[in-house]
Amino acid sequence: MGRCSSCPELTAILLNSIGIAYMRTGNLSVSETYFTRALDLPETTKKFYSNISLINLLYIWLFKGAYEIIMREASALSLDYPDQYNIDYIRSVAQIALGYPEKAIELLNFLKSKGLPGMFRRRGLEIKGLAMRLKGKTYMAQEYYKESLESFIGVTSTYAPFPCAKALQLSRFAGAELPPKSLIRKCLNLAEKGSWGEQAAAQEIQALLIEDDKTCAEALFAAAQSYQRATQPLEACLSGLHSAYLAWKTSSPVFPDVLKFLAPLLPIHPGFKKDPILGDFATRIEPLLATETSSSESKGIRAYLIGEFRVFVNGERLSLKGWRNNKAILALVYLLLSPQHRIPRDHLFYLLWPRRSYRSEDNRVLFYKAIYLIRRNLRDPRLLTKHRDFYQLEDTWTDLGEIENLARLADATRDPREKEEYLSRAKELANGDLLPEFPYDRHIDEYRQYYYRLRKRLFGE
């Protein structure tokens, strides 16, 4: 990186490229570090590269559900088109999550612009449909969803399942007209070529087509979890809320699990409490969310990454002595650090052995030994699962993740006392260095930089 210091434009390209690579593997915090570094380059960097870095940062915050940060950082910006389309689209999503559909619709006035790129028009129509739903205009919402859906299918975009799923929500819960079956089939076919987000939307489509409410609730919950893995918090919350309603209605045993899932999501999406369809239900279950969070403290994995590194599994401390495999310990640490505690298999292998090839059978054996050792020491193989090409820790809490969540809650609340309470709890957890036991690990150091920036926000340094 030092060789590029005399050429800010080249440095900006490199930092953004690395950030995008990490974003695609789900490492949002590391990705944010690189985009921030690109944005902080000297004024000699051309405006074009600054805009790219800023927009990338806004998308990271969108994927993390940091809606107040988006509004604070983006509201004063006025960029050249098409950059401004990106800004207004992201802000409109944030306004919906925060409960201001009218402001979202104002931002979406760019839909009337001549020469608007098709991508922004299609996505803008989808978000305008969601805004109309929150305003109680179900018919108009369904029309916008349908137009967005048809437009995405017209260009064979794998994104088509997103507006299709939202349209089916209105069909199932508000009695709106069902989208044509031919369009639904095309969406499901397109999703097979898509990413985790599109496949999660396909899961939701299939769930909403199930006639039995109890079975539908369970399938919707699975879709909501998939959305969460795909870093789609708004969709995860909305799908989870529909699941919770059906689970409550049918006395499904999955109801407590859905409440636990919604506990960190619903508070940062206060807009859904204003939803004419499920808003009253969301308000009624809100007191149960805190109960569900506090009752599960001894379950699953709880890891303290700040100060002394400690891991507890179902209430018992996990001893790292006697593992005799530093790579297995590092793999566990990397998974604990990563958002959603999941990492693609190939990327995890690269982090552990950057100079070796996964194609070698001997190297794969080393990798699987490390995975086996983690599972054996966790004493519950269900806590380390494999979803397609990703390894993931299930039912996991970390102090770093809790600090992030408390910071988001502090941003989302309008109550000064609640804000101070959230910030106070976050500051208590942020009292120390991140993983001081691993001082020379490059990957951990990238998270360490992110943690220090988070501390500065909390303490106003």
Side-chain angles (χ1 to χ4, degrees):
M1 191 68 69
R3 297 179 181 178
C4 299
S5 58
S6 61
C7 183
E9 288 83 2
L10 182 58
T11 305
I13 293 172
L14 181 59
L15 289 171
N16 275 287
S17 297
I18 297 173
I20 290 170
Y22 273 109
M23 181 167 63
R24 287 175 178 170
T25 62
N27 288 294
L28 299 184
S29 300
V30 175
S31 182
E32 182 178 342
T33 297
Y34 282 99
F35 294 144
T36 302
R37 288 168 63 186
L39 197 62
D40 289 342
L41 287 171
E43 289 298 323
T44 51
T45 307
K46 292 181 180 178
K47 182 180 178 182
F48 173 75
Y49 298 109
S50 296
N51 289 356
I52 289 175
S53 305
L54 173 64
I55 290 169
N56 284 335
L57 263 177
L58 290 175
Y59 273 108
I60 287 293
W61 294 330
L62 188 64
F63 297 148
K64 296 176 90 170
Y67 305 113
E68 286 286 356
I69 296 178
I70 289 172
M71 298 312 302
R72 186 167 64 243
E73 297 296 327
S75 58
L77 294 171
S78 180
L79 303 181
D80 297 332
Y81 292 98
D83 294 333
Q84 190 62 46
Y85 295 140
N86 251 321
I87 299 292
D88 289 344
Y89 166 75
I90 295 169
R91 288 171 63 200
S92 68
V93 177
Q95 292 285 24
I96 284 174
L98 295 172
Y100 304 107
E102 296 87 357
K103 293 181 180 179
I105 291 170
E106 288 178 14
L107 289 166
L108 291 167
N109 277 335
F110 67 71
L111 289 170
K112 301 175 184 177
S113 303
K114 293 182 179 179
L116 177 69
M119 177 187 69
F120 293 111
R121 175 171 176 75
R122 289 186 283 272
R123 290 198 175 191
L125 288 168
E126 177 202 7
I127 297 307
K128 194 164 186 179
L130 186 53
M132 288 299 176
R133 167 179 169 161
L134 293 187
K135 286 173 63 66
K137 299 181 178 181
T138 304
Y139 175 79
M140 292 182 67
Q142 196 72 332
E143 287 298 304
Y144 282 119
Y145 287 151
K146 183 181 177 183
E147 188 177 351
S148 173
L149 166 60
E150 290 175 340
S151 184
F152 276 118
I153 287 178
V155 294
T156 61
S157 170
T158 59
Y159 191 86
F162 279 94
C164 185
K166 290 182 177 66
L168 284 170
Q169 290 170 358
L170 292 186
S171 300
R172 180 78 182 234
F173 292 88
E177 183 181 358
L178 195 71
K181 291 182 179 179
S182 59
L183 294 184
I184 295 174
R185 284 195 299 269
K186 288 178 181 178
C187 281
L188 294 176
N189 290 334
L190 285 168
E192 293 178 0
K193 303 175 184 177
S195 65
W196 275 58
E198 285 83 9
Q199 289 170 24
Q203 268 187 275
E204 182 175 19
I205 290 170
Q206 292 170 323
L208 289 165
L209 293 173
I210 298 172
E211 292 186 7
D212 179 67
D213 283 347
K214 196 169 187 177
T215 307
C216 180
E218 295 172 1
L220 278 174
F221 181 39
Q225 291 173 304
S226 295
Y227 276 131
Q228 185 77 325
R229 295 188 192 104
T231 62
Q232 300 285 342
L234 186 142
E235 275 77 11
C237 186
L238 194 55
S239 184
L241 194 55
H242 288 98
S243 170
Y245 174 74
L246 290 181
W248 166 78
K249 178 183 172 184
T250 60
S251 301
S252 168
V254 80
F255 183 62
D257 293 327
V258 185
L259 287 182
K260 180 180 175 182
F261 175 81
L262 285 172
L265 285 172
L266 193 55
I268 63 173
H269 294 88
F272 292 150
K273 289 187 287 183
K274 299 180 181 180
D275 176 33
I277 301 171
L278 291 179
D280 288 343
F281 173 75
T283 301
R284 288 205 307 273
I285 66 170
E286 198 168 22
L288 300 176
L289 302 183
T291 304
E292 199 58 40
T293 302
S294 60
S295 67
S296 60
E297 288 188 356
S298 63
K299 299 176 184 177
I301 300 170
R302 290 181 66 85
Y304 295 86
L305 310 176
I306 298 164
E308 181 190 1
F309 178 46
R310 293 167 293 149
V311 181
F312 295 84
V313 181
N314 295 327
E316 295 185 12
R317 185 164 181 175
L318 178 67
S319 174
L320 299 175
K321 294 180 180 179
W323 280 39
R324 298 179 183 176
N325 190 324
N326 289 335
K327 296 296 185 181
I329 295 174
L330 273 178
L332 176 62
V333 170
Y334 294 158
L335 285 164
L336 289 169
L337 281 171
S338 184
Q340 312 303 324
H341 312 296
R342 67 183 179 92
I343 301 178
R345 177 196 60 198
D346 292 352
H347 186 58
L348 182 56
F349 177 87
Y350 168 78
L351 292 174
L352 296 170
W353 292 282
R355 297 183 180 179
R356 297 191 181 190
S357 171
Y358 182 76
R359 295 180 181 179
S360 164
E361 185 175 349
D362 290 342
N363 291 340
R364 287 200 301 272
V365 169
L366 287 175
F367 179 72
Y368 291 132
K369 281 183 178 178
I371 296 297
Y372 167 76
L373 187 59
I374 296 173
R375 283 188 171 133
R376 190 182 72 184
N377 282 283
L378 291 177
R379 299 178 184 176
D380 186 347
R382 293 172 298 180
L383 292 175
L384 176 55
T385 59
K386 187 170 182 290
H387 298 272
R388 295 181 64 197
D389 293 330
F390 287 76
Y391 280 101
Q392 174 163 338
L393 293 175
E394 304 286 354
D395 200 8
T396 297
W397 176 98
T398 69
D399 49 2
L400 179 59
E402 183 70 2
I403 292 169
E404 287 183 298
N405 186 49
L406 290 168
R408 282 194 294 267
L409 291 172
D411 279 330
T413 185
R414 296 288 192 276
D415 187 327
R417 287 177 297 179
E418 279 190 359
K419 183 183 289 288
E420 183 56 37
E421 181 185 347
Y422 290 137
L423 290 175
S424 176
R425 286 162 55 190
K427 290 175 183 177
E428 287 178 11
L429 290 171
N431 187 22
D433 294 326
L434 180 71
L435 293 167
E437 297 89 346
F438 303 88
Y440 305 115
D441 187 284
R442 182 179 298 178
H443 186 62
I444 294 174
D445 192 54
E446 289 170 336
Y447 278 96
R448 196 171 284 126
Q449 293 177 45
Y450 167 74
Y451 167 64
Y452 289 150
R453 287 203 323 277
L454 193 56
R455 270 182 57 93
K456 285 182 180 180
R457 272 182 54 207
L458 294 173
F459 291 95
E461 299 172 356

